[in-house]
């Protein structure tokens, strides 16, 4: 007999099924609850206790600090794999054979040319525009030039839409930087790898020969792997929600970019660097900022700390912290900001406030320090997060469509004015 949950309500006993996942996670299935209870619904602002779906893509255990893509630990993937292979794994569910990976890369290369008319759109932005706002707009605009990617009704159309998205998103993401700098927009080089192309798209100039540093390529490959997916986070849930109306893949990804931009989510990696620089400019007094973060009357939060799910160390933060040491020493960079970050972490982790609330460094705490060492400007940090998260967004959108999930439409409890009669303006 499978487990059930019984709720005593309005003199009735309602018995609800309990479902169990691969890793013994359990959920009470309330999909029939409103009908069974005579109109009751459940409510859970921020969905802290509510699952939106079942998914076979990513498993994470917030208490144990475990993160796996399709069953493979991120520790193994970060050490042994590369971003394009992990993208394939996350999207299609299996590690590719050499032939499958080559076909995937060749298929992406078919679509790396972005329609020249898209340059007219980017020209319309001021150079001061935040790259995430430009990226979200350009991603949505891709629909206009690739209408077939709006609604995919076959595996072939899905595969083509996926490869188009992987190809064109990387190019337009770098264009947001080139726009800010007033540089000419670069083209993808189909003779180079995906991550190496990111660097040449970002930094190569027509006036000189550009050669990407292998250390930088390797560091970025690892960082993108660590950002590839993270189950039902805010931006991924947004991509699934928008896609549930059968809006196209570009439109859904565009919405995900906007959700990721927020400083409570992916925008935190930019906010962390700004916070660390503020501490540095304020004489490096980390204790002062830890005290501010604890002060209920002070809206300041320790950016890069805390997580909705991880109540232990974010496993990605551990890997990125070590990578930060490795990359900076291999590039011969001694960045005092890294030392401030380590001091801040040390002070916070020993503080009762952070310990009692299970606040640990998350993925965003150290990533910006590496990006800065790699020459990535601060307001491009969240774009970096988006490039890494792209395969996860694609995979989750594909899974939601493959499972024929219903359009997302939560209910609410109304707390506004009761019914009342219209009053003519002369009588108000
Ligand atoms: C990402 O969901 C994902 O998986 C996201 C992500 C991914 O890969 O997609 O992992 C990427 O978004 C990482 C998180 C990046 N954001 C930040 O670093 C911003 C700072 N962190 C917080 O704002 C906060 O921790 C959140 C938003 C990450 C989580 O917030 P929750 O789960 O809603 O928790 P909460 O805001 O209710 O906080 C619980 C308590 C509160 O105190 P009390 O009201 O109980 O007294 O902890 C406190 C908060 O004030 N708290 C913090 C804090 N984070 C939480 N206090 C100081 N500094 C912080 N950073």
């Amino acid at each position: 007999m499978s487990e059930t949950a019984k709720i005593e309500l309005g003199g009735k006993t309602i018995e609800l099924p309990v479902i169990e996942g691969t890793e013994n996670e359990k959920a009470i299935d309330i999909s029939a609850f409103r009908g069974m209870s005579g109109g009751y619904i459940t409510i859970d602002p921020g969905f802290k206790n509510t699952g939106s779906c079942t998914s076979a893509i990513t498993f994470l255990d917030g208490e144990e600090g475990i993160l796996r893509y399709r069953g493979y630990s991120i520790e193994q993937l970060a050490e042994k794999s590369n971003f394009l292979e992990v993208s394939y794994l996350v999207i299609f569910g299996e590690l590719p054979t050499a032939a499958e990976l080559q076909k995937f890369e060749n298929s992406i290369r078919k679509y790396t040319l972005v329609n020249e008319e898209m340059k007219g759109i980017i020209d319309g932005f001021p150079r001061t525009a935040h790259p995430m706002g430009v990226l979200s707009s350009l991603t949505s605009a891709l629909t206009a030039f690739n209408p077939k990617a709006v609604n995919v009704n076959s595996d072939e159309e899905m595969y083509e839409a996926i490869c188009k998205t992987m190809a064109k998103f990387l190019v337009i993401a770098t264009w947001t930087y080139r726009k800010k700098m007033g540089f000419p927009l670069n083209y993808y080089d189909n003779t180079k790898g995906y991550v190496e192309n990111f660097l040449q798209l970002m930094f190569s100039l027509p006036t000189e020969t550009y050669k990407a540093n292998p250390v930088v390529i390797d560091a970025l490959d690892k960082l993108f792997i660590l950002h590839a997916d993270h189950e039902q986070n805010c931006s991924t849930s947004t991509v699934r929600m928008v896609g549930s109306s059968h809006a196209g893949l570009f439109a859904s990804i565009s919405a995900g970019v906007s959700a990721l931009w927020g400083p409570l989510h992916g925008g935190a990696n930019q906010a962390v660097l700004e916070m660390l620089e503020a501490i540095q400019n304020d004489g490096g007094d980390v204790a002062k900022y830890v005290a501010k973060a604890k002060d209920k009357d002070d809206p300041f939060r320790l950016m890069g700390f805390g997580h909705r799910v991880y109540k232990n160390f974010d496993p990605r933060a551990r890997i990125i912290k070590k990578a930060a040491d490795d990359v900076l020493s291999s590039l011969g960079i001694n960045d005092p900001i890294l030392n401030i970050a380590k001091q801040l972490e040390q002070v916070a982790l020993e503080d009762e406030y952070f310990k009692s609330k299970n606040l640990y460094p998350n993925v965003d705490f150290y990533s910006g320090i590496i990006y800065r060492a790699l020459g990535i400007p601060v307001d491009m940090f969240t774009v970096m997060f988006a490039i890494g998260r792209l395969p996860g967004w694609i995979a989750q959108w594909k899974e939601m469509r493959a499972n024929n999930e219903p359009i997302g439409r939560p209910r609410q409890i109304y707390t506004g004015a009761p019914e009342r009669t219209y009053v003519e303006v002369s009588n108000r």
Side-chain angles (χ1 to χ4, degrees):
M1 168 67 175
S2 52
E3 189 180 0
T4 62
K6 287 183 182 152
I7 297 180
E8 302 293 334
L9 204 53
K12 286 197 299 186
T13 300
I14 297 156
E15 195 161 9
L16 297 167
V18 171
I19 65 168
E20 187 166 343
T22 315
E23 297 293 340
N24 309 315
E25 298 164 298
K26 293 184 176 181
I28 300 168
D29 180 347
I30 58 168
S31 49
F33 180 64
R34 188 168 185 273
M36 293 168 77
S37 67
Y40 283 79
I41 64 168
T42 62
I43 190 163
D44 182 20
F47 312 112
K48 295 191 176 189
N49 304 278
T50 302
S52 59
C53 62
T54 59
S55 177
I57 300 168
T58 291
F59 169 71
L60 65 86
D61 181 323
E63 283 66 36
E64 298 302 319
I66 293 169
L67 177 57
R68 299 188 200 120
Y69 302 150
R70 302 287 189 178
Y72 298 97
S73 75
I74 53 155
E75 289 80 3
Q76 284 185 65
L77 293 172
E79 189 194 330
K80 301 175 186 296
S81 189
N82 63 67
F83 181 56
L84 209 58
E85 182 177 81
V86 168
S87 298
Y88 186 99
L89 169 69
V90 165
I91 294 168
F92 300 106
E94 297 297 334
L95 286 171
T97 62
E100 287 166 334
L101 186 58
Q102 192 56 62
K103 178 185 174 229
F104 186 48
E105 183 158 40
N106 292 344
S107 303
I108 288 171
R109 284 172 170 164
K110 282 194 316 197
Y111 305 111
T112 50
L113 201 58
V114 175
N115 192 298
E116 286 291 307
E117 291 172 280
M118 286 276 288
K119 294 184 176 180
I121 299 170
I122 203 166
D123 286 343
F125 284 98
R127 284 178 55 182
T128 53
H130 193 289
M132 284 297 276
V134 179
L135 179 57
S136 179
S137 305
L138 291 180
T139 305
S140 190
L142 284 172
T143 308
F145 298 94
N146 304 275
K148 270 182 63 184
V150 177
N151 238 335
V152 288
N153 297 307
S154 69
D155 289 349
E156 295 70 31
E157 287 180 359
M158 177 67 85
Y159 188 80
E160 184 184 77
I162 288 166
C163 294
K164 274 185 182 173
T165 307
M166 286 294 293
K168 298 182 188 298
F169 188 85
L170 184 75
V171 175
I172 61 176
T174 63
W175 282 6
T176 66
Y177 169 70
R178 304 290 287 195
K179 166 71 189 180
K180 261 187 78 65
M181 302 302 286
F183 292 161
L185 306 180
N186 280 331
Y187 295 91
Y188 195 102
D189 176 348
N190 281 348
T191 67
K192 291 185 168 67
Y194 194 80
V195 175
E196 184 177 0
N197 255 291
F198 165 77
L199 288 165
Q200 73 87 9
L201 284 160
M202 280 282 285
F203 298 120
S204 69
L205 295 172
T207 48
E208 54 202 35
T209 309
Y210 178 80
K211 180 86 183 85
N213 181 335
V215 171
V216 176
I217 295 171
D218 183 56
L220 278 179
D221 213 60
K222 193 187 292 278
L223 281 165
F224 288 150
I225 286 171
L226 294 170
H227 285 81
D229 192 53
H230 212 241
E231 57 140 272
Q232 304 311 314
N233 59 84
C234 177
S235 53
T236 299
S237 299
T238 302
V239 170
R240 286 181 82 116
M241 175 65 89
V242 171
S244 72
S245 74
H246 286 196
L249 184 51
F250 293 131
S252 305
I253 300 288
S254 170
V257 171
S258 296
L260 187 71
W261 192 1
L264 294 187
H265 190 14
N269 59 15
Q270 174 176 345
V272 166
L273 233 294
E274 288 162 354
M275 172 187 72
L276 293 173
E277 285 173 338
I279 294 173
Q280 184 183 41
N281 297 335
D282 193 7
D285 181 357
V286 293
K288 171 180 169 185
Y289 286 81
V290 169
K292 276 172 64 69
K294 292 160 60 177
D295 179 354
K296 276 281 153 243
D297 299 326
D298 188 333
F300 174 78
R301 284 197 161 188
L302 217 47
M303 301 314 279
F305 258 75
H307 198 277
R308 170 60 57 77
V309 180
Y310 289 123
K311 300 310 170 191
N312 194 324
F313 234 93
D314 182 331
R316 301 166 296 178
R318 282 189 203 284
I319 298 172
I320 295 174
K321 178 180 178 179
K322 181 172 181 318
D325 277 328
D326 296 348
V327 169
L328 268 66
S329 57
S330 119
L331 293 175
I333 296 171
N334 176 23
D335 187 348
I337 285 280
L338 178 58
N339 301 327
I340 291 177
K342 287 180 176 177
Q343 284 170 38
L344 190 57
E345 175 192 342
Q346 193 59 41
V347 171
L349 292 183
E350 287 165 3
D351 186 286
E352 200 39 50
Y353 172 93
F354 289 85
K355 287 197 292 191
S356 65
K357 295 177 188 297
N358 296 311
L359 301 176
Y360 292 87
N362 59 49
V363 66
D364 293 313
F365 190 64
Y366 284 105
S367 56
I369 292 166
I370 300 183
Y371 293 146
R372 187 164 113 131
L374 303 183
I376 313 284
V378 175
D379 61 5
M380 281 293 289
F381 286 6
T382 313
V383 172
M384 302 298 289
F385 195 141
I387 293 168
R389 185 52 50 88
L390 181 66
W393 286 335
I394 292 171
Q396 299 271 352
W397 187 90
K398 176 173 176 285
E399 181 179 72
M400 175 274 303
R401 290 297 301 273
N403 293 347
N404 289 312
E405 293 196 5
I407 186 168
R409 201 275 185 220
R411 287 186 174 266
Q412 62 158 33
I413 293 296
Y414 176 69
T415 56
E419 187 174 10
R420 46 187 173 166
T421 306
Y422 183 79
V423 178
E424 295 301 334
V425 67
S426 53
N427 296 329
R428 287 178 208 154

